[in-house]
Amino acid sequence: MLSVDHGMDPLLKRPFSIHRLFGDDVQILYRLAGKGTHILSGRNKGDILDAVGPLGNKFPPPGSGDKTILIAGGIGIAPIFALAEKLKNKEILLFYGAKTKEELLCTDQIKSLGIDPVISTDDGSCGQKGTAIDALIKHLIRHPSLVTSHRLYACGPRPMFKSLSLLAKKHNLKGYIALEQHMACGIGTCLGCVINTVDGYKRVCREGPVFPLEKILWE
Amino acid sequence: MMKINLSVNLGKLKLKNPVMTASGTFAYGKEYSEFVDLDRLGAIVVKGISLKPMKGNPEPRICETPCGMLNAIGLQNVGLKGFIRQQLPYLKSLRTKIIVNILGNSIDEYIELAENLESAGVDAVELNVSCPNVNKGGIAFGTEPVVFAELIKSVRRHTSLPLITKLSPNVANIKVFAKISEDEGSDIISLINTITGMSINIRSRRPRLANITGGLSGPAIRPIAIRMVWECYRTVRIPIIGMGGIITAEDAIEFFLAGASAVAIGTGNFVNPKATLDVLDGIRAFMAGEGIHSLKELTGGLKW
């Protein structure tokens, strides 16, 4: 949870995932989405901001021998890249979708990890036209054996999770997703950031942000 | 060094200092122990408890608004039994007063809650009167004077615990409700609860909360809260716990001057998890700087 300003408006801290760690430095990667991130983008080197963290859980590591499929939609690349970096010696398939070519981030760093990402853009300006899930579906049709041998990790917007969830049900895919949600406290007390699951409402800040894909109930 | 007395007597409820937590913003206390030495608090007011567990509202449950936030959590809680078994033992191990906010859909439910919590050994109960009364067509207890009076009178008869009534600001004249609270046997009043509000996403044309409306809190409501505390202070003799957008000690002192004997930090805990102790330390520093020995010199100290 990071406060973007010292005043009362905006009032609340913003939740961000950790993008990269360099010694004691924490790097976050964010998209200009609203008032908070616009203020944050105006901060200068040396500015001091309040932060509380790290909070919540993390992606569970894949079992030894598990191959992994990583899926990132838009700014969902922030934690997915961190995971890819961590798993660098494992066999990784990365599906990465964004609205346009301009919104694709970290592609050089991804390649420098030895990963050849399957890129897609909504407008077709780079890679395949469509979403990361469209690209994954095409891949599954060509390589049906992937289904049983791979573990999924995904982060992206809610429509992406919904279609991934349908796809996973159909092919019995298992995996984990990192959710984004508006938060007030970030430490499990306000109950504002819940998500509906098969086990009832769960706090994205505390029991999450990573959940088993099959546990989430989308409306 | 100057001797400063921060203790405060809210009727028979004696606190070592005037800084409390506001119900619904501090969970069941333990969650804040990583940030706050809970023993230093004047009191912990825990999240509202109902007889049966409640699962709460669909999401989105919160949204930020200018200098504040709207919430429609829907009173999610572990229920009376769950609270007494899972949460109370830890709370009782702390060296602070434990106050339980209670909510029911009928007067009988409030009575059952108060009786059970008294047996379980809590220090006080706070009536959350912003719940719908299912026996009276779902109108909130806190906005209809006749059922409001009946609720307080009935709970009063069934408990000897200090009884706090938390007033809703969503009424035309809060002084009426303050007076009823006093007349019907409430020992203390706390105010204000959140103000009903609403926010709309203009692109999707949908409300920003799944519940459509929610309770507004944070610094945005502070001037309203100050005004209402002042009105109540001039109306009743029972002590007042002031709350509504307190983030700093200066905010708390404003409440004392308007007539509060103690203060509660709510949304401020979300903004700064250490807000309670920052406010407490700031009050002491202010008093030292101004040569004020006792909180009594501040409460109701407005010059006008």
Side-chain angles (χ1 to χ4, degrees), chain A residues 8-14 35 52 158 181-185 187-192 194-195 201 203 206, chain B residues 25 27 31-32 34-35 47 55-59 61-62 64 66-69 73 76 219 247 267 270-271:
Chain A
M8 291 297 131
D9 191 19
L11 184 67
L12 302 169
K13 293 184 170 70
R14 265 61 181 158
K35 192 159 72 177
V52 178
R158 220 172 253 214
Q181 182 68 293
H182 288 287
M183 292 180 186
C185 72
I187 57 174
T189 63
C190 74
L191 308 183
V194 297
I195 187 84
Y201 287 121
R203 299 167 295 184
R206 197 85 172 189
Chain B
T25 64
E31 291 83 345
Y32 272 92
E34 280 179 78
F35 300 95
K47 178 139 183 68
K55 71 187 194 85
N57 285 334
E59 47 98 22
R61 288 177 168 186
I62 55 166
E64 195 179 46
C67 299
M69 62 177 282
I73 307 300
Q76 180 180 336
I247 307 285
T267 299
F270 304 154
V271 177

Side-chain angles (χ1 to χ4, degrees), chain B residues 155-167:
Chain B
V155 177
R156 176 72 292 166
R157 253 192 257 123
H158 288 86
T159 182
S160 57
L161 284 177
L163 182 61
I164 306 168
T165 303
K166 186 167 185 175
L167 302 185

